Amino acid sequence: LAGVVFSAARQLPNACVAQASVLDLPFENHAFDLVSCALVLCRVREPLRALGVLSRVLRPGGQLLLATPFGFRLEHEWREAG
């Protein structure tokens, strides 16, 4: 979705729609009660770093909703694959 702009996204008082790299989310620490991440971790070269960023923006006790294929590749596998 690189380059996609969500200009038609509804403005809701209790939701945030944004586009950013999962490795550099532009949100404050503990900003969200729920973070949803679907089919992303299998596409980034640093999935463990991405998980850290997702955890950073999630409030303590918040919920992280992840969806990724069963064949999830670990960070060291990405380095080995080049």
Side-chain angles (χ1 to χ4, degrees), residues 6-60:
F6 296 101
S7 59
R10 292 175 53 188
Q11 299 300 314
L12 302 173
N14 62 344
C16 176
V17 177
Q19 178 181 344
S21 168
V22 70
L23 299 174
D24 187 30
L25 294 176
F27 304 111
E28 295 183 19
N29 295 347
H30 314 298
F32 298 101
D33 296 325
L34 172 74
V35 173
S36 176
C37 180
L39 302 173
V40 174
L41 296 180
C42 57
R43 302 284 182 207
V44 296
R45 292 212 176 256
E46 298 176 84
L48 297 178
R49 180 176 160 208
L51 277 174
V53 174
L54 294 171
S55 296
R56 177 186 65 77
V57 301
L58 188 63
R59 73 164 170 80

Side-chain angles (χ1 to χ4, degrees), residues 55-76:
S55 296
R56 177 186 65 77
V57 301
L58 188 63
R59 73 164 170 80
Q63 295 183 328
L64 177 59
L65 177 62
L66 294 175
T68 192
F70 180 75
F72 178 75
R73 298 182 74 153
L74 298 176
E75 187 173 356
H76 72 274

